[in-house]
Amino acid sequence: MASTGTLFLIFAVTFIREGNAQNTFVNVNCKENVGQYGQQSLLECIVQTTSEASDIQIRVVTWRRQGADKPALVFHDGRIDPKSSFTFAEPSWNNKNMNVSVLIPNTRVADNGRYTCMVMTNSGDGKGEVNLKVTAKYSEPIISSIPEKITPGSNGELTCETHGGYPKGDIRWFVNDNTDWTKSSKMEVKGAQDGLLHLSSKLPLLHGSIFSKYTCIVYNATGGKEAEAVFIPDPEVEEHTAVYQVSGESVTLECSFTESPNSNDELIGMYLYHDAKTQEQVLYYHSSPGPEKISPRIRYSKRVEKRGSLKKHTITISNLTVEDSGIYRCVYKKNVQSEDIRNVYILVVSEVAPYSVSKKESEPDGSEECLPLMLIIGVTSAVSIMVTMIFTWLIVPKVKQWTSRRRIRNVPQQSNEYVYEIMTKNGLCPLGASD
């Protein structure tokens, strides 16, 4: 059997000869197709002949991807080259079958491209071309955040990642319901060894943002939506401490990075922010370069005092005014981009102290000293009344009853003769007396 190089040389010479002879007996018609990564793909071409041609037999079939060093399938001398990576679509194919379509068993990104199918028959030669577009669906996107916990209105960054797709797709960001926010993001594309792509899009979050929902949507190369992920800032209300002070006084705020001041967390500094109508910095506490020190802003210059170390210290603000009211946050930083909110205070500064009383009302008038005596008198009176009632209701009736019984027992007993004498004097006769 002739070598593959010799075969193609013969085929090329024959093809040119037949083309110059204005051969119109054989045509190869092909259809465009889309192949899915990891699945079978069909390259469809059919040989069509004119009515003048009869008893057509195929002598040579060659499939080649443009730019490839070797053909993908070669049929010659009634057999398929065993080195072919493609197979005919019809398992029982023979040289009288005009369907020269082929199957790609396991489609790869490398199979993407344009293919040429060349056919030589006993009645002439023909050529057809087909384009295979390999696609791979992107994975479900995953959104991560820096810092890990993000609350509405805080600084940070969201990253949406997806992989395993082809060709290049797109990642778009939407805030709340359907407002496109992609213009604020930046996407990066990386290729893997298998040719599949990894997409990554970063969306910075600026302080004061009021968005409550971020949606990352992955689109394929044709603009079709493939998958999405949703990120919702932590709705948990920040734990805070309420502090009330009077204008002119001072307030002390504690800032602590961790419950263990000796932890190994490396910090570059801490900001103390004041939020009212707008956010402003009170001071920056930095540990490098040089020794630890604070840098207060102009409005707080000479009004702040620090005690302690960076990981656990107190900040005292003196000469408070009503304008100092608002929310104070201790925000620690491990690097330039990261922020970690640790302590939150709500400070209310008023012109006068709440629940204040006048000097006259606050002066002692001796009433507190009389209170125990009045209490003793009241309790004594109540006990006396109760004793009197008990004596009236219970003791007096018993005494009366006892006295009556005693009088009855002390009456002298009279004899029968005395009774008889009294009755005779009154002209009464005893029962049973004779006339």
Side-chain angles (χ1 to χ4, degrees), residues 43-75:
L43 299 179
E44 187 175 0
C45 288
I46 297 177
V47 177
Q48 294 180 339
T49 61
T50 61
S51 59
E52 290 83 358
S54 60
D55 193 22
I56 302 295
Q57 292 185 10
I58 296 176
R59 296 175 178 176
V60 178
V61 176
T62 303
W63 277 92
R64 178 188 291 270
R65 183 175 60 84
Q66 293 181 4
D69 297 333
K70 298 179 180 180
L73 181 143
V74 175
F75 171 80

Side-chain angles (χ1 to χ4, degrees), residues 176-292:
N176 289 347
D177 293 328
N178 55 2
T179 304
D180 195 332
W181 213 250
T182 310
K183 61 183 180 180
S184 301
S185 65
K186 183 178 180 180
M187 191 179 78
E188 182 180 2
V189 182
K190 293 182 179 180
Q193 292 183 351
D194 55 8
L196 298 178
L197 301 178
H198 177 273
L199 307 182
S200 175
S201 178
K202 297 182 181 297
L203 179 67
L205 304 181
L206 302 180
H207 180 82
S209 173
I210 60 174
F211 301 131
S212 59
K213 179 182 177 183
Y214 297 86
T215 304
C216 158
I217 301 181
V218 179
Y219 293 87
N220 56 34
T222 60
K225 177 181 175 181
E226 290 201 349
E228 69 176 51
V230 176
F231 178 86
I232 298 178
D234 195 338
E236 182 179 352
V237 179
E238 297 175 341
E239 295 183 1
H240 62 269
T241 303
V243 182
Y244 300 89
Q245 286 293 8
V246 180
S247 179
E249 295 185 353
S250 62
V251 64
T252 299
L253 309 177
E254 182 181 52
C255 295
S256 176
F257 177 76
T258 176
E259 295 181 357
S260 176
N262 297 321
S263 64
N264 295 324
D265 294 317
E266 295 295 332
L267 301 172
I268 63 173
M270 186 217 73
Y271 284 100
L272 179 60
Y273 289 108
H274 172 222
D275 289 303
K277 294 182 180 179
T278 58
Q279 177 180 267
E280 65 174 347
Q281 290 182 17
V282 177
L283 57 84
Y284 178 62
Y285 187 160
H286 49 91
S287 59
S288 61
E292 294 184 356

Side-chain angles (χ1 to χ4, degrees), residues 8-43:
F8 278 98
L9 179 61
I10 295 172
F11 178 83
V13 173
T14 306
F15 185 82
I16 294 174
R17 175 177 58 80
E18 296 294 340
N20 292 336
Q22 300 294 324
N23 175 26
T24 58
F25 293 107
V26 176
N27 291 316
V28 180
N29 295 328
C30 302
K31 295 181 179 180
E32 299 291 322
N33 199 5
V34 176
Q36 183 68 34
Y37 180 88
Q39 305 295 324
Q40 281 190 343
S41 295
L42 175 68
L43 299 179

Side-chain angles (χ1 to χ4, degrees), residues 384-419:
S384 301
I385 294 173
M386 292 180 62
V387 171
T388 304
M389 293 176 63
I390 294 173
F391 182 81
T392 304
W393 293 342
L394 298 178
I395 305 300
V396 172
K398 293 291 184 181
V399 172
K400 289 182 177 181
Q401 185 179 2
W402 178 77
T403 306
S404 300
R405 290 178 179 178
R406 185 174 182 84
R407 288 176 180 175
I408 293 174
R409 285 196 296 267
N410 293 336
V411 174
Q413 297 292 328
Q414 302 293 334
S415 63
N416 292 335
E417 289 80 0
Y418 176 76
V419 173

Side-chain angles (χ1 to χ4, degrees), residues 371-385:
L371 182 60
L373 180 59
M374 296 175 61
L375 182 61
I376 294 173
I377 295 175
V379 172
T380 304
S381 301
V383 173
S384 301
I385 294 173

